[in-house]
Amino acid sequence: MASAKYIFVTGGVTSSLGKGIIAASLGNLLKARGLKVTIQKFDPYINVDPGTLNPYEHGECYVTDDGAETDLDLGHYERFLNISTSQANNVTTGRIYNNVITKERKGDYLGKTVQVIPHITDEIKANFFKLGETGDYDIVITEIGGCVGDIESLPFIEAVRQARWDVGENNCLVIHLTLIPYLKAAGELKTKPTQHSVKQLLEAGIQPDILVCRSEHSLPPDIRKKLALFCNVQLNSVIEALDADTIYDVPLLMRKEKLDERVLTKLRMSHKTQPDVESWRNFLSRVKNPTNEVTVALVGKYVELPDAYKSIIESFIHAGAHLECKVNILWVSSSTLSEKTVQRALKDADGVLVAPGFGERGIEGKIAAIRYVRENQIPFFGICLGMQCAVVEFARNVLHLKEAASTEIVPNGKHKVIDLMEDQKKIQDYGGTMRLGAYPCKLSKKSKAYHAYHSVNIEERHRHRYEFNNVYLKEFESAGMKATGINPDTGLVEIIEIPNHPYFIGTQFHPELKSTVMNPHPLFISFVDAIVKIKKN
Ligand code: GLN
């Protein structure tokens, strides 16, 4: 076993308590003390990865540099810690079983009955320790998805119990995130649900070391004492997690509650160096004290569920903080948009972002929005499907190729301006077969993109099947839509721009997946900056 220490974060009482944010905040504080930290998430569902899930089920699918399709919590980890994660940072029950069944078919367990304990739990533990064993980390934080007591998370909880023995005392701890509800009529905070949830952990053989208690009201001393007594934790290991103005307040709130100190004490690690939270504080103060305000319409088909666009929302917060500008998001459902309604729907928008997506629903609405902003000189940013729609719109209304479409929507269309590449045509499986992960891109120096990045060679993350069809490139360029970012290895178009427009950029890649608090994304900064300047004039 390598020298990394392990922190497991479990959840109780209900889901949606923000385990990902607590884990990311703790990671942030430990990293701010100079420790090497990574965070991983273990999800109890049977899908091998969330790539095939509808965003309505699970929010956005976050893609890492190595092309893993992962849970959106990995986005929080990257944004809070300014680190890059990988496939190893997100493991599901489906992946665990897939690995075990593959081994069984190969004959690795020959002669043995393959069982949940020990085979599944061994596989889970091997994955718990994988990153720690690289020697690259002092601390590995593992978030266990779901709630204690769920049938499907049982093998994970059992694996945590066993893992504690494997790594030994002082090398491992369990933080349990729980809810302390407030009963308005009684005017009281109630500890019973937490007592029950800790009891459930105890039944599984796990005594939590630290309780993080989500609450709408501050925990008075008697409630803290009661929780400590009934849940068998030290008084100073009862940590209060009040509802915060923004998720970015949470690291500082956890610092105030000394969560990082408790963790280090329990892991017998030095706390001599204090966490350096100055730049974080500075960022927060910029978020909270903007000197400007703009409104961006986000045109997409999943707008009822903002989690589907998590990284885009956060990227606007990062870029906004950088520019001291509050970016309001006006949610516009693409399915309700048409040439007739678009003007009214976008009348309050200073700029328009057309979102990524899949399938036919809402496509014509997106195209109508793009025509409107192109013709009315309104700043535009299209991401992935948003860029593809910009290409289709330009083909139809500027090149007069009335039947132009993406092969995704019209499989045998006359003008496939967005089309499948040869290597995608042979693919039959849906899972993990898109163009995924980081690819290089070369920028033309005469472009807004270059002006934003200040660099010719960039690398951005992808998640799509269809591409700009280079057969049409010349025609587009002579009519005023330029390919300003090209993949140097394949010649694929990665960025389009209309230079003769105040701000019109579409990217085939997903810039939102690389924006972090400490490194706001250049394209989001340049988009918001352009909007601010145009609005001023
Ligand atoms: N559906 C499009 C494709 O697969 C775009 C995907 C996306 O927006 N992420 O190419």
Side-chain angles (χ1 to χ4, degrees), residues 356-359 383-385 388 408 434 463-466 510:
F358 293 84
I383 299 181
C384 208
L385 182 62
Q388 297 176 352
E408 181 180 9
M434 285 188 259
R463 181 176 188 248
H464 55 97
R465 236 177 259 292
Y466 299 85
H510 291 262

Side-chain angles (χ1 to χ4, degrees), residues 105-170:
R105 290 290 84 184
K106 272 194 358 218
D108 288 4
Y109 309 109
L110 219 49
K112 290 274 176 230
T113 308
V114 180
Q115 296 181 298
V116 174
I117 303 173
H119 302 99
I120 293 295
T121 46
D122 279 353
E123 184 67 28
I124 295 173
K125 285 194 290 173
N127 281 277
F128 279 168
F129 300 141
K130 208 180 208 169
L131 286 171
E133 282 168 351
T134 59
D136 294 341
Y137 302 103
D138 302 313
I139 293 185
V140 178
I141 302 175
T142 304
E143 178 190 347
I144 306 290
C147 245
V148 171
D150 293 349
I151 289 180
E152 47 181 19
S153 55
L154 277 176
F156 287 140
I157 299 293
E158 166 62 13
V160 172
R161 184 192 69 79
Q162 295 178 19
R164 291 187 119 180
W165 290 104
D166 292 348
V167 297
E169 242 184 313
N170 308 331

